[in-house]
Amino acid sequence: MGGGGQQTDRIAGTNGRFSTYTWEEVKKHTKPEDQWIVVERKVYNVSQWVKRHPGGMRVIRHYAGEDATDAFHAFHPNLQLVRKYMKPLLIGELEASEPSQDGQKNGALVEDFRALRECLEAEGCFKTQPLFFILHLGHILLLEAIALMMVWYFGTGWINTAIVAVILATAQSQAGWLQHDFGHLSVFKNSRWDHLLHKFVIGHLKGAAAGWWNHRHFQHHAKPNIFKKDPDINMISAFVVGKVQPVEYGIKKIKNLPYNHQHKYFFFIGPPLLIPVYFQFQIFHNMIMHGLWVDLAWCISYYVRYFLCYTQFYGVFWAVLLFNFVRFMESHWFVWVTQMSHIPMESDYEKHQDWLSMQLVSTCNVEQSPFNDWFSGHLNFQIEHHLFPMMPRHNYWRAAPRVRALCEKYGVKYQEKSLYEAFADIVRSLEKSGELWLDAYLNK
């Protein structure tokens, strides 16, 4: 795993014991070339190793100078193995007089959350039911087979093609939720199988890249809705979100688009274009620029399979049109589901909140029902998913009452909405942000 980089002369004294540090000292090491993090009261110098971090260098960089204990537990299935590889990076520990949490975080809340996690682990909430994921994969493959059989038996007429497109879009959306499970290492005890199936589902079944997804998604979980840290709220200046960014843009007289109308043009450049245009370009650009050749091979296998199956019936031109129409429909499904729990919530710059508070202020739930669970891939339990990203999704409902009780104890707002209300709140929040921008643009 390599050494820890520039380890200061305070690493160890003549008695062989590691140095101790205050939070004030730890917080000084936040620069790209000088990064320290704290995990379980131990101080690590990750300055040189950060580029080799399997989860991406930006995830660690986002926690430089901070306590990363809860993020560490959230993202690593085999903690003992990871601790072994972290030993060369260890430079000391916090002084005994220092609290375990940094900043103004509520120590009692932090400890109660960690105790809750331990209870849920003891109760089996992190154990997978393999049949659930086998059936989920099976229904995706069945949908793919049905679509092809319909073209085979009923031809390429407009009505049949429209039905086939809906079936394929459903398969693609459901494959998106399944790759999400494998990507979070929440299916198998051995994470190697999760990595392999992740590449198969996102690559061969969807034509995307596991490495690209990991790079984006783990940052999103580590610092949700935090500007300059969560790539999911990087709206490439097409939208302004939250209450802070619109005012900031307005004061600076930034007007790349008429943001006071963003709740209207969202319907034209948001859901329709995200996957077929923006993601499509970004995925291939990322694979080529970063040399993700294994991901590229899996991705190409999807296109080879698709065009071998459908060009024989539609020809190249119409097969390409069908492909893009499926992507167009899938993109709507994806955007509405993934943004219903985030865009209406708080978006701001880093506040260094504890794990529970940070996740709750930026996420909300949607009511449970068999349809909502299937339609959203259980992302209607967005709160529980963000708190425990490696928990198998079929167990979120078991954790939810315990999480809600902990939030009530500490006065942390736990939001749950209907599916319609969650969708409507996306538009309403964009409208409010646009109004804030216009007011600041005209009057400040």
Side-chain angles (χ1 to χ4, degrees):
M1 298 293 287
Q6 297 177 350
Q7 301 181 2
T8 68
D9 56 5
R10 295 187 58 199
I11 291 178
T14 56
N15 58 4
R17 297 179 62 186
F18 284 106
S19 294
T20 58
Y21 301 93
T22 64
W23 277 115
E24 185 178 354
E25 291 175 297
V26 172
K27 291 176 182 178
K28 295 176 181 177
H29 300 271
T30 60
K31 298 178 181 179
E33 69 281 1
D34 178 24
Q35 301 178 49
W36 290 9
I37 62 171
V38 175
V39 175
E40 298 168 338
R41 295 190 61 85
K42 292 182 172 60
V43 182
Y44 297 89
N45 184 343
V46 297
S47 306
Q48 301 301 318
W49 178 80
V50 65
K51 294 180 181 179
R52 298 159 60 186
H53 178 231
M57 66 179 180
R58 292 186 180 179
V59 175
I60 292 185
R61 182 182 296 171
H62 296 339
Y63 276 92
E66 295 183 37
D67 175 34
T69 301
D70 292 309
F72 175 77
H73 282 266
F75 299 134
H76 300 100
N78 190 336
L79 296 179
Q80 294 302 323
L81 179 64
V82 178
R83 289 188 185 105
K84 174 183 175 182
Y85 286 115
M86 289 172 66
K87 284 184 178 179
L89 312 177
L90 181 64
I91 61 172
E93 60 186 10
L94 293 174
E95 291 184 357
S97 60
E98 290 289 305
S100 296
Q101 65 284 340
D102 56 310
Q104 302 300 315
K105 297 174 184 175
N106 186 329
L109 186 157
V110 171
E111 292 304 316
D112 278 357
F113 170 74
R114 293 173 183 175
L116 171 60
R117 181 186 179 89
E118 292 177 0
C119 287
L120 294 174
E121 289 176 343
E123 293 171 6
C125 288
F126 286 82
K127 292 183 179 179
T128 299
Q129 296 176 8
L131 182 60
F132 174 90
F133 294 101
I134 292 172
L135 291 175
H136 194 77
L137 176 59
H139 104 286
I140 294 168
L141 298 176
L142 179 62
L143 288 170
E144 293 270 5
I146 290 173
L148 189 58
M149 289 175 63
M150 287 187 66
V151 178
W152 181 280
Y153 284 106
F154 299 109
T156 59
W158 286 104
I159 295 177
N160 191 55
T161 298
I163 296 172
V164 167
V166 171
I167 293 173
L168 288 175
T170 302
Q172 285 294 296
S173 296
Q174 291 300 318
W177 310 145
L178 184 59
Q179 70 82 22
H180 180 260
D181 298 314
F182 290 122
H184 276 295
L185 313 179
S186 63
V187 179
F188 294 101
K189 291 183 179 179
N190 188 332
S191 60
R192 291 182 180 179
W193 285 104
D194 279 304
H195 288 303
L196 178 61
L197 267 295
H198 187 213
K199 290 182 182 296
F200 169 75
V201 176
I202 196 173
H204 184 67
L205 295 186
K206 288 191 61 60
W212 165 82
W213 183 88
N214 289 338
H215 175 74
R216 287 183 58 94
H217 200 65
F218 290 146
Q219 289 185 75
H220 164 67
H221 270 270
K223 296 289 185 176
N225 282 21
I226 295 178
F227 295 122
K228 298 184 179 181
K229 294 188 176 182
D230 180 2
D232 283 7
I233 58 170
N234 175 18
M235 302 295 182
I236 56 173
S237 298
F239 302 95
V240 289
V241 294
K243 297 178 180 179
V244 174
Q245 187 186 51
V247 175
E248 182 180 85
Y249 272 45
I251 292 174
K252 294 180 179 178
K253 308 304 177 186
I254 297 175
K255 188 182 180 182
N256 298 302
L257 286 170
Y259 298 121
N260 52 310
H261 295 293
Q262 64 179 0
H263 60 293
K264 301 172 186 175
Y265 66 70
F266 169 77
F267 291 93
F268 299 98
I269 70 172
L273 302 182
L274 183 67
I275 290 179
V277 178
Y278 180 64
F279 276 3
Q280 195 81 358
F281 169 79
Q282 192 181 71
I283 288 168
F284 278 95
H285 179 266
N286 183 267
M287 287 190 292
I288 294 171
M289 291 298 294
H290 296 281
L292 303 178
W293 309 123
V294 173
D295 284 350
L296 182 60
W298 279 108
C299 188
I300 290 174
S301 75
Y302 163 78
Y303 288 94
V304 171
R305 175 175 60 86
Y306 172 82
F307 284 106
L308 283 177
C309 288
Y310 288 97
T311 53
Q312 60 182 310
F313 302 107
Y314 288 99
V316 175
F317 177 78
W318 290 105
V320 170
L321 283 183
L322 175 62
F323 168 83
N324 282 288
F325 185 57
V326 169
R327 285 282 194 253
F328 171 81
M329 289 192 291
E330 177 202 357
S331 188
H332 281 80
W333 193 331
F334 173 82
V335 170
W336 287 101
V337 168
T338 57
Q339 298 310 308
M340 67 184 181
S341 300
H342 291 299
I343 281 186
M345 305 301 290
E346 180 179 305
S347 297
D348 205 342
Y349 290 98
E350 179 65 82
K351 291 184 176 180
H352 303 289
Q353 295 172 293
D354 63 87
W355 183 260
L356 178 75
S357 301
M358 177 180 66
Q359 302 295 347
L360 266 291
V361 78
S362 59
T363 58
C364 68
N365 279 6
V366 170
E367 294 172 349
Q368 182 187 20
S369 72
F371 174 78
N372 286 353
D373 292 352
W374 173 83
F375 182 74
S376 69
H378 286 84
L379 294 182
N380 50 325
F381 288 96
Q382 190 73 215
I383 291 172
E384 287 69 33
H385 170 60
H386 263 258
L387 292 176
F388 313 109
M390 288 191 301
M391 180 181 289
R393 59 161 134 151
H394 52 68
N395 287 332
Y396 291 157
W397 68 272
R398 296 173 60 187
R402 307 282 291 278
V403 172
R404 187 189 291 270
L406 181 61
C407 290
E408 290 177 356
K409 178 180 177 179
Y410 288 97
V412 178
K413 190 174 183 180
Y414 184 107
Q415 292 193 51
E416 184 175 82
K417 308 174 182 178
S418 68
L419 186 63
Y420 172 79
E421 182 184 6
F423 285 173
D425 278 350
I426 295 176
V427 181
R428 282 194 286 255
S429 65
L430 288 173
E431 183 176 13
K432 290 178 182 178
S433 295
E435 291 171 353
L436 289 173
W437 169 82
L438 182 62
D439 178 66
Y441 187 86
L442 296 175
N443 302 315
K444 296 183 180 180

